[in-house]
Amino acid sequence: MKRSDLKKTALAAGIGVLVLVGATAAFLTSSDVAYNLFSVGKVDLDVEEDFDKDQTLAAGQIITKTPWIRNTGTVNEVFFAEVCVPVMRTTLVDASGQRIPPAGATDPVSAADFRQDAEIFHLLTDSGTEIAHATDDPMYGSFAYHGASADKKGWYYLGEGTTFTVTQEHPKEGFAEGTYHSYLFGYNAWVAPKDVTVPIFDKVQLRSMIDSELTGQTIGQVTVLGYALQ
């Protein structure tokens, strides 16, 4: 098991409350002060995952990448997660080796017209899955996650987040340079100290592509950010 370097932490400091009980009328001859001190617990988390960072991927290859969130604080917490998927300018290829045209493309499509901005990974689960989004737009990869239900702990899909670009001039901790598309999730149960959530997903698959910026470069990985509420 390996922990990612990504971590969001919130620390709630102790609060001292002073309550004054005493003389409110001139004829009272004595007074007293009661001090009530309230200590608020520490809110903290780690995003952990089962993942080997030192891997060379081939098109269509499926590898284990299983992220979850651990409560490293001292009180019960509820978690949210932001899953960031790398986007690249590329030509996607289907299972039969045919190029996939962009959404809305009309015939005839030239070779250059097949290039499009696309998520370069599918996110997969082993079982008990829900689909984060359903669309025919080839820009989006498949995204299956461990969904919540009335009798099962898991994640609720809250919607798409943002698309952002990381550069040398605008770096972001834990991210390689490139463009990312994010998705937001919320956990359906309180997590006790030292306990963990169920994984968000289990595996990633590099999509089949040609004529892309991928050759000879290190690409961004799927990255998970965690957030906590007390």
Side-chain angles (χ1 to χ4, degrees):
M1 178 188 303
K2 296 189 177 180
R3 294 189 177 184
S4 73
D5 294 329
L6 299 170
K7 177 179 178 182
K8 295 288 181 181
T9 302
L11 177 62
I15 300 174
V17 178
L18 173 64
V19 178
L20 177 62
V21 179
T24 57
F27 61 84
L28 295 179
T29 59
S30 66
S31 65
D32 192 15
V33 177
Y35 294 93
N36 298 285
L37 299 179
F38 297 88
S39 179
V40 178
K42 178 183 178 184
V43 179
D44 203 358
L45 64 90
D46 273 345
V47 178
E48 303 175 345
E49 61 179 6
D50 182 7
F51 174 62
D52 183 1
K53 295 181 180 180
D54 300 321
Q55 298 185 74
T56 301
L57 298 181
Q61 181 180 356
I62 297 175
I63 63 171
T64 296
K65 182 178 175 70
T66 310
W68 60 85
I69 300 179
R70 181 181 299 277
N71 182 350
T72 56
T74 60
V75 293
N76 292 348
E77 300 174 32
V78 63
F79 294 123
F80 296 86
E82 182 178 12
V83 180
C84 305
V85 184
V87 173
M88 185 174 290
R89 191 76 173 171
T90 187
T91 297
L92 298 172
V93 180
D94 63 21
S96 64
Q98 298 298 309
R99 293 173 298 177
I100 302 174
T106 57
D107 293 331
V109 182
S110 67
D113 291 338
F114 280 97
R115 284 172 58 85
Q116 58 187 302
D117 292 329
E119 295 178 357
I120 62 173
F121 288 103
H122 294 307
L123 278 61
L124 313 171
T125 57
D126 292 327
S127 63
T129 64
E130 300 288 344
I131 304 300
H133 54 77
T135 176
D136 294 329
D137 189 341
M139 184 273 185
Y140 298 95
S142 299
F143 192 158
Y145 66 97
H146 288 286
S149 67
D151 58 353
K152 182 180 68 174
K153 293 180 179 180
W155 295 91
Y156 286 118
Y157 175 52
L158 303 179
E160 295 183 36
T162 61
T163 298
F164 59 93
T165 300
V166 178
T167 64
Q168 288 185 342
E169 293 75 22
H170 299 90
K172 190 177 180 69
E173 183 180 358
F175 288 81
E177 292 184 31
T179 300
Y180 297 82
H181 189 203
S182 70
Y183 299 88
L184 304 176
F185 293 86
Y187 201 59
N188 74 329
W190 290 95
V191 181
K194 300 183 180 180
D195 284 351
V196 300
T197 66
V198 301
I200 305 171
F201 52 90
D202 298 310
K203 292 176 170 43
V204 297
Q205 180 182 33
L206 183 63
R207 300 176 73 180
S208 297
M209 63 189 85
I210 59 174
D211 188 25
S212 67
E213 304 164 355
L214 183 60
T215 305
Q217 294 188 15
T218 299
I219 61 174
Q221 262 289 357
V222 176
T223 303
V224 178
L225 306 177
Y227 307 89
L229 288 179
Q230 179 183 357

